[in-house]
Amino acid sequence: MKLYYKPGSCSMASHIVLNEIDQPFDLDMVNTEKGTTETGVNYREINPNGYVPSLLTDTGEIITENPAVLQYLGDLAPESNLVPANGTIERTRLHEILNFVSSELHKAYGPFFSGETLSPSARIKVETGLARRVGFIESELLDGRQFLLGADFTVADAYAFVVLNWSEFIEFDLQPWPSVKDYVKRIGQRPSVTKAMITEGLIKDH
């Protein structure tokens, strides 16, 4: 398998899950501005939309869009409990949270990475919307669960961690949401997560 990725972006969720399932894979870093990969490939030929992640499977198929890539990888290792079984209500709950992270939480961080400087009033407006989405994650964790779906780490946690961890880079304080803050810290200590972050150059290997 080969993961087309951009350091620190949402594709890191797939990188984390690849580490979790412990199967061999290659990485090819994408320069989304230039539309080329580290190995010199025209990335638009891999993914016409030009964004990451994209996964080249062992059978030669290309899978795009985070929720699809994450579930495909989780299904490769059912014993890992990274995804609930198909046809169960638990799998439906996974779809719910993946869709929320993708369409609501992820997009709420988007304005901070647009390349344009936010005015003070614009930042307040964007932060208000972001706070509402982070508040939803907080409400899900208030019952004391360790992970978004309960007792097991799933692909949803990999994705949610990556997005919520952007808070540090945009100086958005998670202090008002103590359950979320603890969640991000806890997941950040998983070996699969630290390995991905070291590989992508986000933290140093001690």
Side-chain angles (χ1 to χ4, degrees), residues 34-141:
K34 294 182 178 180
T36 57
T37 76
E38 194 173 20
T39 57
V41 174
N42 178 356
Y43 186 59
R44 291 280 180 175
E45 295 179 0
I46 304 296
N47 184 346
N49 288 319
Y51 50 71
V52 292
S54 295
L55 182 74
L56 173 63
T57 72
D58 289 339
T59 59
E61 299 285 342
I62 297 290
I63 303 174
T64 64
E65 304 299 333
N66 242 334
V69 173
L70 292 170
Q71 290 181 81
Y72 174 83
L73 292 173
D75 281 328
L76 291 178
E79 72 284 354
S80 67
N81 294 323
L82 287 166
V83 293
N86 278 307
T88 63
I89 187 62
E90 289 78 14
R91 187 62 171 245
T92 300
R93 297 302 181 204
L94 177 69
H95 292 163
E96 278 185 330
I97 196 64
L98 282 175
N99 284 326
F100 173 81
V101 174
S102 178
S103 65
E104 295 290 334
L105 186 64
H106 186 161
K107 287 186 177 180
Y109 282 87
F112 295 101
F113 299 104
S114 66
E116 299 180 2
T117 301
L118 294 172
S119 67
S121 60
R123 184 177 177 100
I124 290 173
K125 182 177 180 180
V126 171
E127 285 187 344
T128 300
L130 177 55
R132 188 164 65 250
R133 274 76 175 189
V134 175
F136 173 76
I137 299 294
E138 177 78 7
S139 69
E140 291 292 283
L141 298 171

